[in-house]
């Protein structure tokens, strides 16, 4: 990357001001395309290599912790780094700015989808995007399998998780069983897997910035800031505050609209999704799809695919597709008597309850992690969970393939053109390592061309 962020952020000051960090986190929220692996690599390049704000060792330590947590690891890594640099306000700003640009964009795209999604041109665009989405899910499963399935028992866990999803077992039950298997089968050498696209370059190694300091601002030997010191009262306060925010917000919604109202159901469900999903966005999507489509009927499986395609084309964490799910759920039920207003409120509710636990995990657990610097006892369960996620993601790919390649059901003639485009897209991603943006653009163009021909 030849240029990362505003040039003014490359000042020679030995400290990083809150204003500098604020501008960087806003830029990151607007430019973090490409999914969690690309976002983590972008943060590594910007924070470790170019700016020298944090050392390589501290960055990877934070990454290890975030990968042990349920929820979006890239957003949690940004929150952790912001907290490490500037305390609670730094963590809140970093995490919020990683999400807000994507939320605003997805609300606009969701509205456009409800208005023009059934137009012939809109259908042509979406026809080309659906095979790309299926290929992206398959690519995610393939990439995770290469990193995770290192032993025979892990292959068994992945296969059983796939069968469990086919049998309709609850997602939390599958994850719990996988964690238990990992606990009993773990070996001392098992360590949390790292994203394969994070380049472990020497810190402060940018040759075009000779005036940069040799040591990072938060170096391996930098004295720990006061806010990173572990304190039991501080931990209790953070947990109580997080619990109070969750309870007051969900309780207020239930009090105003009733326990059975759509917004109340969304608050409870997306909290559960945030707490029970490990392995990144593609791991949570099967759980969201299973409930939002099959149980709550907020949208259809085909609309879920369309939402994932829109989410892939926006910055921020891919799990922001929950905003699309919320918008369509609120829009279809015309909450508050107005579909557009209902969609906006529902999208915000889904986003709030999805990301609130992530902030609590970081702001409450950060000092404890800084004091321990390792969590080896969780490595085995994490390995089992990640293996189960491979099977879960494969099941999601099957659901999406059914929607794009067999739109009229398994017993009808398949859409051979969609099937061929799915195979082509998967080959380009896995074998040719085509970027997501190029793939989406190519599939969109091919979809438009094919629809014009037929």
């Amino acid at each position: 990357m030849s240029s990362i962020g505003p040039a003014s952020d490359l000042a020679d000051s030995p400290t990083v001001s809150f204003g500098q960090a604020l501008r960087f986190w806003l830029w990151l929220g607007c430019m973090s395309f490409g999914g969690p692996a690309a976002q983590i690599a972008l943060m590594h390049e910007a924070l470790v290599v170019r700016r020298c704000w944090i050392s390589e060792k501290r960055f990877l330590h934070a990454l290890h912790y975030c990968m042990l947590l349920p929820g979006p690891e890239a957003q949690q890594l940004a929150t952790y780094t912001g907290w490490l640099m500037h305390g609670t306000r730094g963590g809140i700003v970093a995490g919020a700015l990683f999400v807000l640009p994507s939320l605003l964009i997805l609300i606009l795209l969701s509205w456009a989808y409800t208005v023009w999604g059934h137009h012939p041109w809109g259908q042509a665009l979406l026809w080309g995007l659906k095979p790309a989405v299926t290929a992206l899910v398959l690519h995610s499963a393939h990439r995770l399998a290469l990193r995770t399935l290192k032993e025979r028992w892990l292959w068994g866990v992945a296969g059983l998780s796939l069968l469990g999803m086919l049998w309709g077992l609850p997602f939390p039950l599958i994850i719990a069983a996988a964690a238990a298997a990992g606990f009993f089968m773990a070996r001392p050498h098992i360590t949390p897997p790292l994203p394969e696209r994070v380049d472990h370059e020497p810190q402060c190694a940018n040759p075009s910035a000779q005036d940069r300091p040799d040591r990072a601002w938060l170096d391996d030997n930098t004295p720990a800031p006061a806010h990173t010191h572990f304190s039991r009262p501080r931990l209790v306060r953070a947990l109580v505050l997080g619990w109070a925010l969750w309870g007051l917000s969900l309780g207020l919604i239930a009090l105003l609209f009733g326990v059975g109202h759509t917004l109340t159901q969304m608050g409870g469900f997306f909290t559960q999704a945030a707490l029970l999903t490990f392995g990144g966005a593609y791991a949570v999507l099967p759980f969201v799809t299973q409930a939002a489509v099959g149980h709550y009927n907020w949208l259809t499986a085909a609309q879920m695919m369309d939402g994932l395609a829109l989410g892939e084309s926006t910055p921020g964490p891919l799990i922001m597709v929950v905003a699309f799910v919320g918008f369509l759920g609120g829009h279809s039920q015309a909450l508050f008597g107005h579909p557009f207003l209902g969609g906006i409120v529902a999208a915000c509710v889904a986003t709030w309850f999805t990301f609130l636990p992530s902030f609590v995990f970081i702001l409450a657990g950060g000092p404890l992690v800084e004091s321990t610097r390792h969590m080896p006892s969780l490595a085995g369960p994490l390995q089992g969970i990640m293996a189960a996620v491979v099977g879960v993601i494969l099941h999601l790919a099957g659901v999406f393939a059914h929607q794009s390649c067999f739109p009229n059901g398994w017993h009808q003639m398949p859409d051979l053109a969609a099937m061929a485009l799915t195979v082509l897209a998967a080959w380009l991603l896995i074998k040719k390592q085509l970027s997501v943006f190029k793939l989406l653009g190519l599939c969109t163009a091919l979809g438009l061309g094919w629809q014009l021909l037929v």
Side-chain angles (χ1 to χ4, degrees):
M1 300 177 186
S2 59
S3 176
I4 294 188
S8 61
D9 286 345
L10 298 177
D12 290 333
S13 171
T15 61
V16 180
S17 69
F18 184 73
Q20 282 180 295
L22 180 66
R23 291 192 296 273
F24 169 75
W25 296 122
L26 177 60
W27 171 84
L28 181 68
C30 296
M31 299 300 295
S32 54
F33 293 89
Q39 291 160 356
I40 292 170
L42 179 63
M43 280 189 276
H44 179 271
E45 172 75 13
L47 294 169
V48 177
V49 179
R50 294 186 61 85
R51 285 176 173 76
C52 299
W53 286 0
I54 184 172
S55 68
E56 176 97 3
K57 187 176 180 180
R58 278 183 174 267
F59 181 87
L60 293 178
H61 170 65
L63 177 59
H64 274 115
Y65 174 54
C66 294
M67 293 191 70
L68 289 170
L69 296 174
E73 62 265 28
Q75 186 266 348
Q76 290 169 339
L77 180 61
T79 306
Y80 191 102
T81 307
W83 166 81
L84 196 62
M85 292 168 57
H86 295 106
T88 300
R89 65 169 182 167
I92 292 175
V93 165
L97 290 179
F98 198 83
V99 170
L100 287 177
S102 178
L103 173 62
L104 295 175
I105 294 172
L106 268 175
I107 286 176
L108 292 175
L109 290 177
S110 301
W111 169 76
Y113 175 83
T114 60
V115 175
W116 294 294
H118 296 288
H119 189 276
W121 283 101
Q123 289 292 311
L125 286 170
L126 295 172
W127 183 90
L129 285 174
K130 288 178 181 179
V133 169
T134 304
L136 285 167
V137 177
L138 285 171
H139 180 233
S140 176
H142 175 264
R143 185 174 57 193
L144 187 60
L146 291 178
R147 286 181 9 221
T148 303
L149 305 184
K150 303 294 186 180
E151 301 182 34
R152 289 183 178 179
W153 71 271
L154 293 171
W155 282 92
V157 170
L160 289 174
S161 70
L162 175 59
L163 291 176
M165 292 297 292
L166 291 173
W167 289 335
L169 295 181
F171 181 83
L173 178 61
I174 294 174
I175 294 300
F183 178 80
F184 288 107
M185 297 296 296
R187 298 292 184 268
H189 67 273
I190 293 180
T191 55
L194 287 174
E196 69 279 2
R197 292 180 60 180
V198 176
D199 301 321
H200 305 299
E201 303 177 31
Q203 61 188 38
C204 307
N206 181 22
S208 63
Q210 299 297 332
D211 57 342
R212 301 303 298 139
D214 294 330
R215 296 175 63 249
W217 176 48
L218 293 178
D219 197 64
D220 299 344
N221 300 317
T222 302
H227 67 272
T228 65
H229 295 165
F230 175 71
S231 167
R232 192 179 301 274
R234 183 183 300 170
L235 172 63
V236 172
R237 284 197 303 269
L239 291 175
V240 169
L241 180 59
W243 177 264
L245 285 174
W246 176 83
L248 288 174
S249 54
L250 186 59
L252 182 61
I253 292 174
L255 181 64
L256 292 175
F257 306 108
V259 176
H261 193 269
T262 298
L263 294 181
T264 309
Q265 292 176 337
M266 286 185 176
F269 167 71
F270 286 112
T271 299
Q272 184 183 13
L275 294 175
L276 296 177
T277 50
F278 296 83
Y282 283 108
V284 69
L285 286 174
F287 182 47
V288 173
T289 303
Q290 187 182 58
V293 175
H295 181 68
Y296 294 108
N297 297 315
W298 291 331
L299 73 173
T300 66
Q303 289 173 330
M304 188 70 193
M305 285 191 69
D306 298 337
L308 183 55
L310 296 177
E312 290 279 7
S313 63
T314 60
L318 182 57
I319 193 55
M320 279 303 301
V321 71
V322 299
F324 177 86
V325 174
F327 187 95
L328 259 65
H331 184 278
S332 63
Q333 299 185 27
L335 300 180
F336 311 108
H338 193 285
F340 182 60
L341 177 60
I344 292 177
V345 174
C348 293
V349 167
T351 303
W352 169 259
F353 286 100
T354 298
F355 287 95
L356 178 60
S358 294
F359 285 96
V360 177
F361 288 146
I362 300 301
L363 299 179
L368 180 62
V369 174
E370 284 295 305
S371 65
T372 59
R373 290 291 181 133
H374 56 81
M375 300 178 70
S377 61
L378 295 180
L382 177 68
Q383 196 80 337
I385 290 171
M386 297 295 280
V389 165
V390 174
V392 171
I393 294 175
L394 282 175
H395 177 264
L396 179 67
V399 172
F400 285 169
H402 174 264
Q403 292 295 323
S404 60
C405 300
F406 296 87
N408 299 316
W410 294 110
H411 303 292
Q412 300 295 324
M413 182 68 182
D415 188 337
L416 297 179
M419 192 176 295
L421 186 55
T422 301
V423 173
L424 173 64
W427 178 76
L428 290 173
L429 278 173
I430 297 173
K431 293 297 184 182
K432 296 300 182 180
Q433 298 183 352
L434 190 69
S435 70
V436 173
F437 283 118
K438 290 181 179 179
L439 179 77
L440 293 175
L442 176 63
C443 289
T444 300
L446 291 175
L448 285 173
W450 175 253
Q451 293 301 308
L452 287 175
L453 288 176
V454 300

